[in-house]
């Protein structure tokens, strides 16, 4: 699995972060306000401003490191245990073709979800609620998030929040067939979400209003939808478009 083949997952995270802004933007934005506030003379407050900004940035980055780390752990499990096991099954090629179709259909569903055209993907989130019900109480012990260590731990827990977009990426991680490949898929996806969530953490609600615009969500959904449709066309052997084949999910043996 090369860097170019990971581009669809990075792009899905990048444009899909309009959804992340709604789910995680609030807690990430609160990190910049988490440090205890005290009354200081104006001169001292101005002098301390750079240090306070640096501390807020450290907490935001720590949170996202923990979050992406959990994505990678889930991807390794999906690719190593599920994908690796499926690959060992006799006559696995038909199963792999079916899985590739399903993965691309998940991308189509994600595109429609981002466009607010169909919410069927949200139903998958109920599958993760049992695990989240066990983890959520632990998050309260980490509040207030006044140190990077707490932010790292909270991000690691928050990475398991039920999310249809993450689940659609885990399907692709499973198809990698290895723990390393699954972790790489989720790393690419997580890095794609990073710009929006870091900006959200540093500048509060300024970005959140932008991500709620209909035009932004429509453009993001159309891009993810195009990846899924391209993958479905390639998997069916309907088109051969050279190097663009690296930008979609295709089963083994498909023309390159």
């Amino acid at each position: 699995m090369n860097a170019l083949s990971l581009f669809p997952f990075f792009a899905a995270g990048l444009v899909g972060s309009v959804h992340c802004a709604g789910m995680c933007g609030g807690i990430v934005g609160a990190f910049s306000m988490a440090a205890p506030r005290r009354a200081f003379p104006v001169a001292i407050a101005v002098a301390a401003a750079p240090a306070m900004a640096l501390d807020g940035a450290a907490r935001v980055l720590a949170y996202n490191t923990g979050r992406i780390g959990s994505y990678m752990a889930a991807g390794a499990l999906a690719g190593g245990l599920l994908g690796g096991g499926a690959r060992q099954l006799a006559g696995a090629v038909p199963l792999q073709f079916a899985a590739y179709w399903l993965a691309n259909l998940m991308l189509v569903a994600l595109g429609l979800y981002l466009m607010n055209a169909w919410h069927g993907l949200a139903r998958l989130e109920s599958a993760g609620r049992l695990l989240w019900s066990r983890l959520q109480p632990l998050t309260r012990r980490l509040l207030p998030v006044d140190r990077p260590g707490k932010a790292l731990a909270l991000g690691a827990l928050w990475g398991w929040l039920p999310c249809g977009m993450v689940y659609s990426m885990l399907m692709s991680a499973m198809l990698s067939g290895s723990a390393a490949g699954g972790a790489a898929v989720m790393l690419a996806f997580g890095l794609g979400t990073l710009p929006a969530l870091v900006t959200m953490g540093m500048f509060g609600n300024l970005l959140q209003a932008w991500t709620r615009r209909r035009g932004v969500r429509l453009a993001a959904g159309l891009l993810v939808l195009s990846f899924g449709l391209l993958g479905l066309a390639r998997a069916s052997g309907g088109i051969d478009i050279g190097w663009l084949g690296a930008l979609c999910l295709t089963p083994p043996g498909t023309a390159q």
Side-chain angles (χ1 to χ4, degrees):
M1 180 172 289
N2 55 46
L4 185 58
S5 67
L6 293 172
F7 178 76
F9 312 113
F10 174 83
L14 187 64
V15 300
S17 56
V18 299
H19 173 67
C20 297
M23 293 193 67
C24 303
I27 187 171
V28 179
F31 290 166
S32 60
M33 305 294 292
R37 304 284 179 177
R38 296 181 182 179
F40 292 109
V42 174
I44 297 178
V46 171
M52 293 174 63
L54 184 61
D55 179 64
R59 281 182 269 120
V60 170
L61 291 174
Y63 164 82
N64 283 286
T65 298
R67 178 179 61 85
I68 295 175
S70 289
Y71 290 169
M72 293 177 66
L77 288 173
L81 298 181
L82 301 179
R87 189 175 55 181
Q88 300 300 321
L89 294 176
V93 173
L95 178 62
Q96 289 180 4
F97 268 87
Y100 273 92
W101 272 83
L102 181 58
N104 281 294
L105 286 171
M106 290 285 282
L107 286 178
V108 171
L110 176 57
L112 295 174
Y113 183 43
L114 292 174
M115 295 164 61
N116 202 30
W118 185 65
H119 296 90
L121 191 60
R123 298 174 185 173
L124 288 178
E125 296 175 358
S126 61
R129 288 175 185 168
L130 178 60
L131 175 61
W132 181 241
S133 67
R134 304 291 180 87
L135 295 177
Q136 188 175 21
L138 299 177
T139 64
R140 302 189 187 100
R141 301 180 183 179
L142 299 171
L143 300 177
V145 189
D146 51 5
R147 296 192 301 274
K150 283 187 175 182
L152 180 68
L154 185 61
L157 291 174
W158 209 262
W160 299 98
L161 180 73
C163 175
M165 188 168 71
V166 172
Y167 295 160
S168 68
M169 292 297 103
L170 284 175
M171 175 61 68
S172 298
M174 184 185 73
L175 296 177
S176 69
S178 69
V185 166
M186 297 308 292
L187 173 61
F189 167 72
L191 290 176
T193 67
L194 197 57
L197 287 182
V198 168
T199 303
M200 186 77 65
M202 298 305 298
F203 299 103
N205 293 327
L206 293 179
L207 182 64
Q208 196 165 20
W210 180 78
T211 59
R212 289 175 177 171
R213 294 182 179 178
R214 177 173 175 78
V216 172
R217 296 188 66 90
L218 182 62
L222 284 174
L223 182 57
V224 175
L225 178 65
S226 67
F227 283 133
L229 293 177
L230 180 61
L232 290 174
R234 291 274 293 169
S236 64
I239 58 174
D240 182 9
I241 50 178
W243 66 271
L244 281 178
L247 303 182
C248 60
L249 303 177
T250 54
T254 302
Q256 298 295 326

